[in-house]
Amino acid sequence: MRTADSESIRCALQGFAVPDTWTPFARTQAGDGGILGQGSFGIVYACGRYGAGPEEQLAVKMVDKVEMPESEIRREAELQLRLSHPNIVRVHQVFFEKCFVCILMDVCRGGDLIGAMESHWEQAGGINSRDVVHICRQMAVAVDYLCAQGIVHRDIKGDNFLLDRPLLSDPGCWVALGDFGTACEVQPGERLWSRVGTRNHWAPEVFRADYGFKPPRVGQS
């Protein structure tokens, strides 16, 4: 996968009617060349505004058009732009350039849930379930919101839940669901058959290639 340096990101953002106040400062805001995270189709860098404080930092996901069709990138970005919920990673703007698609989104400095769990195990041992009730609740609320919008994520896993701080046992820890590359809209009664997402996390109905929204239980509306 190709990586994008600060100059490439700057050119990408400035080449498509992006406000002049936007500029990456990944090299000075994060280690390892400014990379915050890396997935199958893109790399996430730190970015922000000229003269803005750390509270206004964002992230830019650079998706390589060679690795993923532009139509799929556009579909993912447009879907996320419509979502507005505190437990869903917010996408602010999307810009298309020659080699990359730049998706500006909220930055989550705590990394993903799996990394936070591993860190806790190494430093403090086992995780008491009472210490992560606030985490579980936010995860459930995020999925419930998507269901209410008629959207299925299809890759729900710890790696895709991002935190605002590394300490997941902190009662103030904020969690948001990201990576909507496999998400899609589903109409009532519609059945899906695509086996997408992470195989180790598939539900039985995904293995059967026959799934959709479950009907409400008796007594539920």
Side-chain angles (χ1 to χ4, degrees):
M1 178 188 298
R2 293 176 293 181
T3 60
D5 57 23
S6 293
E7 180 65 17
S8 297
I9 302 174
R10 183 189 65 78
C11 292
L13 296 181
Q14 291 185 352
F16 286 82
V18 182
D20 292 336
T21 52
W22 283 105
T23 180
F25 47 81
R27 296 297 181 192
T28 59
Q29 294 298 324
D32 192 26
I35 296 177
L36 297 176
Q38 182 170 342
S40 302
F41 304 110
I43 300 176
V44 181
Y45 298 85
C47 71
R49 301 175 188 267
Y50 279 120
E55 70 278 358
E56 293 190 58
Q57 292 178 15
L58 296 176
V60 56
K61 181 178 181 181
M62 305 288 291
V63 184
D64 194 331
K65 293 182 178 180
V66 173
E67 303 288 342
M68 188 175 184
E70 182 175 329
S71 59
E72 288 298 307
I73 305 172
R74 187 181 296 273
R75 181 192 60 79
E76 174 188 353
E78 290 178 350
L79 187 152
Q80 253 186 297
L81 280 168
R82 292 164 34 204
L83 302 177
S84 179
H85 190 276
N87 297 117
I88 301 293
V89 175
R90 181 184 174 191
V91 169
H92 298 268
Q93 289 177 288
V94 181
F95 309 104
F96 294 82
E97 60 102 28
K98 184 176 180 180
C99 298
F100 295 93
V101 176
C102 311
I103 304 176
L104 285 169
M105 61 182 70
D106 287 338
V107 63
C108 302
R109 288 290 183 181
D112 63 55
L113 180 58
I114 297 300
M117 292 172 63
E118 291 175 343
S119 177
H120 190 287
W121 291 330
E122 292 175 0
Q123 298 178 23
I127 303 174
N128 192 313
S129 58
R130 291 176 297 183
D131 294 334
V132 290
V133 171
H134 59 293
I135 300 292
C136 298
R137 180 186 178 279
Q138 292 179 78
M139 295 169 68
V141 167
V143 176
D144 183 66
Y145 169 76
L146 292 182
C147 290
Q149 304 302 310
I151 295 172
V152 288
H153 187 278
R154 300 197 290 185
D155 200 17
I156 298 293
K157 59 181 181 180
D159 307 79
N160 287 335
F161 281 99
L162 306 178
L163 285 60
D164 70 337
R165 65 199 72 185
L167 187 61
L168 79 167
S169 60
D170 185 332
C173 184
W174 165 78
V175 182
L177 178 61
D179 197 343
F180 281 71
T182 59
C184 69
E185 295 184 80
V186 182
Q187 300 301 319
E190 180 182 358
R191 307 299 295 174
L192 302 176
W193 55 268
S194 298
R195 291 173 172 171
V196 299
T198 306
R199 184 182 178 88
N200 290 345
H201 296 270
W202 283 358
E205 54 267 33
V206 178
F207 275 100
R208 294 194 299 267
D210 181 18
Y211 57 99
F213 283 129
K214 294 181 179 180
R217 297 177 181 176
V218 176
Q220 290 183 335
S221 56

